[in-house]
């Protein structure tokens, strides 16, 4: 816990902390995380190109993507336990290699064997899922607490930049390379993710003296118990699930329909999604250095801001308003994400950090498909406007209610020390 400095130490000439972008260990981790994020984003896009080139059918695409999601959800829970039980660097290595092996298998099955592609997609998802909690825990091992918010912002900015520039780059490459070659390129990205990051610090999960380990189920439940020790974490996870399962799902289904039916153009769809990513980049850049006094409440306000996106789709507004709403939603989501990850790395017991992080990914990613599956029938049954209005209200109200939970104001179990 921070302590109030003595009066004689109140003024110092100590230089400001060095930027994380000048830290070699972090840069290696950043490069690996960025490569894994780019590979994760690129796979469904490249498989979509395979459908356009008739190497894969629409039903086959759905099956392959479902297999990847299933592999992710299983492996993210397993990976969290393994990353707390063994070296986190080793978990990153083997999960990245597994995803890298999946890429040529996908290329081999393209147009030949849907069974092989489905199995390879499940392997790719497993590699993606297993590395996520390990990357989160490695960030805490490599960097001191006061530098982690800047580091998390740098990582999310890299992923958002890839999302922004990736479609144009992939489309350009597709003019010269076939889909199989692009899949092999994804495999190379996973090799970077596996091999480039360095070792972490003195990992809390590696005891000096070997001790008998509990079973997998017991260790996973131990991670759940650790998460329950932090009311702010449970409240934040509840709010995040509401926004993802309702807000994200509603806008994901409704935006293409409204862009087509209300505005009679694809421009609104493309502009809104681009504005969201640009907004997220701006939010990450702002939160890299901004330290609000009540960081938890500020983060929940940012998360609630996503509600303006579905709200804008309920109203007959000018398309510029829709685009602006998506930019605000993008800013807000990173004002939540970066402090959320940083607080988890700070507050959770180091030897349980990967398991708690895996619980975060498991719940938020796991319920997203449920929302998508329910929103489309709801729109068919009740119409887009009432469904979007309910989802917008949930985006506003659930984070507001979560902010009332004790310990959420500062995302910490105890009030931060103050100085006079």
């Amino acid at each position: 816990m921070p302590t109030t400095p003595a009066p004689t130490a109140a003024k110092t000439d100590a230089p400001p902390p060095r930027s994380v972008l000048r830290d070699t260990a972090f840069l290696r981790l950043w490069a690996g995380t960025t490569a894994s994020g780019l590979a994760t984003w690129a796979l469904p896009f490249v498989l979509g190109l395979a459908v356009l080139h008739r190497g894969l059918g629409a039903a086959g695409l759905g099956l392959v993507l479902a297999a990847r999601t299933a592999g992710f959800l299983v492996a993210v829970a397993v990976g969290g336990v393994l990353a707390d039980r063994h070296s986190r660097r080793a978990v990153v290595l083997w999960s990245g290699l597994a995803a890298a092996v999946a890429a040529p298998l996908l290329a081999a099955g393209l147009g030949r064997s849907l069974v092989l592609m489905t199995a390879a997609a499940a392997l790719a998802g497993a590699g993606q899922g297993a590395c996520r909690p390990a990357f989160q825990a490695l960030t805490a091992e490599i960097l001191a607490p006061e530098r982690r918010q800047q580091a998390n912002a740098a990582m999310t900015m890299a992923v958002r930049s890839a999302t922004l520039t990736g479609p144009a780059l992939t489309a350009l490459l597709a003019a010269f390379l076939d889909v199989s070659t692009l899949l092999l390129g994804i495999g190379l990205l996973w090799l970077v993710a596996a091999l480039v990051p360095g070792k972490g610090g003195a990992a809390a999960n590696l005891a000096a003296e070997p001790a008998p380990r509990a079973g997998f189920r017991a260790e996973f439940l131990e991670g759940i118990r650790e998460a329950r020790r932090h009311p702010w974490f449970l409240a934040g996870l509840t709010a995040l699930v509401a926004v993802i399962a309702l807000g994200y799902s509603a806008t994901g289904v409704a935006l293409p329909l409204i862009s087509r039916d209300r505005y009679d153009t694809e421009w609104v769809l493309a502009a809104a999604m681009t504005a969201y990513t640009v907004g997220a980049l701006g939010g990450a850049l702002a939160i890299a250095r901004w330290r609000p006094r009540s960081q938890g409440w500020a983060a929940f306000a940012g998360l609630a801001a996503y509600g303006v996106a579905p709200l804008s789709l309920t109203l007959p507004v000018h398309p510029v308003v829709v685009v602006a709403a998506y930019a605000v939603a993008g800013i807000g989501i990173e004002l939540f994400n970066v402090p959320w990850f940083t607080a988890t790395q700070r507050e959770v017991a180091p030897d349980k950090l990967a398991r708690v992080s895996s619980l975060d990914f498991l719940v938020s990613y796991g319920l997203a498909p449920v929302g998508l599956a329910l929103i489309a029938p709801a729109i068919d049954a009740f119409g887009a406007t009432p469904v979007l209005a309910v989802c917008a209200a949930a985006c506003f109200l659930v984070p507001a209610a979560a902010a009332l939970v004790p310990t959420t104001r500062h995302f910490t179990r105890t009030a931060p020390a103050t100085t006079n």
Side-chain angles (χ1 to χ4, degrees):
M1 294 292 297
T3 57
T4 304
T8 56
K11 294 183 178 181
T12 68
D13 296 325
R18 185 177 62 166
S19 169
V20 293
L21 298 180
R22 298 176 62 186
D23 187 307
T24 302
F26 171 73
L27 284 178
R28 293 180 64 179
L29 180 63
W30 176 85
T33 306
T34 302
S36 71
L38 183 57
T40 298
W41 166 86
L43 182 58
F45 191 89
V46 172
L47 291 175
L49 293 177
V51 174
L52 294 178
H53 296 165
R54 301 187 184 278
L56 183 66
L61 175 63
L63 181 61
V64 169
L65 292 180
R68 186 182 78 145
T69 300
F72 173 90
L73 293 176
V74 171
V76 75
V78 175
V81 173
L82 292 178
D84 281 338
R85 177 182 288 187
H86 304 291
S87 163
R88 282 138 183 187
R89 178 64 189 89
V91 173
V92 167
L93 172 65
W94 290 108
S95 59
L97 290 177
V101 168
L105 294 177
L106 282 166
L110 186 64
R112 300 181 184 88
S113 172
L114 183 58
V115 173
L116 177 59
M117 291 194 71
T118 302
L123 181 61
Q128 173 195 346
C131 75
R132 290 298 294 271
F135 272 129
Q136 283 289 99
L138 273 174
T139 302
E141 286 186 15
I142 288 173
L143 296 170
E146 65 272 11
R147 307 178 71 197
R148 292 173 190 162
Q149 184 155 322
Q150 186 184 25
N152 288 320
M155 287 184 175
T156 196
M157 287 177 65
V159 173
R160 297 295 185 182
S161 298
T163 304
L164 184 63
T165 61
L169 178 60
T170 305
L172 178 63
L173 292 174
F176 303 97
L177 304 172
D178 58 22
V179 173
S180 295
T181 304
L182 292 175
L183 288 171
L184 294 177
I186 292 174
L188 291 177
L189 287 173
W190 277 114
L191 282 178
V192 171
L195 301 176
V196 169
K199 295 181 179 180
N205 58 323
L206 297 178
E209 297 181 4
R213 305 296 310 211
F216 170 85
R217 179 176 178 275
E219 292 202 0
F220 183 74
L221 292 177
E222 190 177 89
I224 295 177
R225 285 193 294 271
E226 172 64 20
R228 292 175 61 186
R229 291 180 57 242
H230 305 276
W232 63 267
F233 181 85
L234 298 180
L237 193 57
T238 301
L240 186 60
V241 166
V243 171
I244 290 177
L246 296 176
Y248 278 27
S249 299
T251 54
V253 173
L255 178 60
L257 299 176
I258 290 174
S259 181
R260 180 196 66 191
D261 298 338
R262 180 187 298 168
Y263 300 108
D264 194 27
T265 176
E266 296 177 355
W267 175 85
V268 177
L269 171 62
M273 296 310 298
T274 302
Y276 177 80
T277 303
V278 171
L281 278 169
L285 183 62
I287 202 62
R289 295 191 177 277
W290 181 42
R291 302 294 188 272
R293 293 187 63 182
S294 301
Q295 65 165 344
W297 286 357
F300 280 126
L303 185 62
Y306 191 88
V308 302
L311 181 62
S312 71
L313 299 179
T314 66
L315 306 172
V317 296
H318 192 279
V320 171
V321 176
V322 175
V323 174
Y326 270 78
V328 170
I331 293 171
I333 205 67
E334 292 307 338
L335 294 183
F336 174 84
N337 280 340
V338 174
W340 171 256
F341 290 140
T342 305
T344 304
Q345 293 161 350
R346 180 188 67 242
E347 297 294 320
V348 172
D351 62 329
K352 301 178 182 68
L353 175 56
R355 277 170 283 178
V356 174
S357 296
S358 72
L359 182 65
D360 178 7
F361 295 127
L362 181 65
V363 173
S364 56
Y365 280 84
L367 292 182
V370 177
L372 286 170
L374 295 177
I375 289 296
I379 288 177
D380 289 339
F382 305 106
T385 298
V387 171
L388 286 167
V390 170
C391 292
C395 289
F396 292 133
L397 296 177
V398 176
L404 300 177
V405 173
T407 75
T408 56
R409 180 173 181 176
H410 301 288
F411 277 170
T412 180
R413 295 184 69 223
T414 57
T418 58
T419 58
N420 294 325

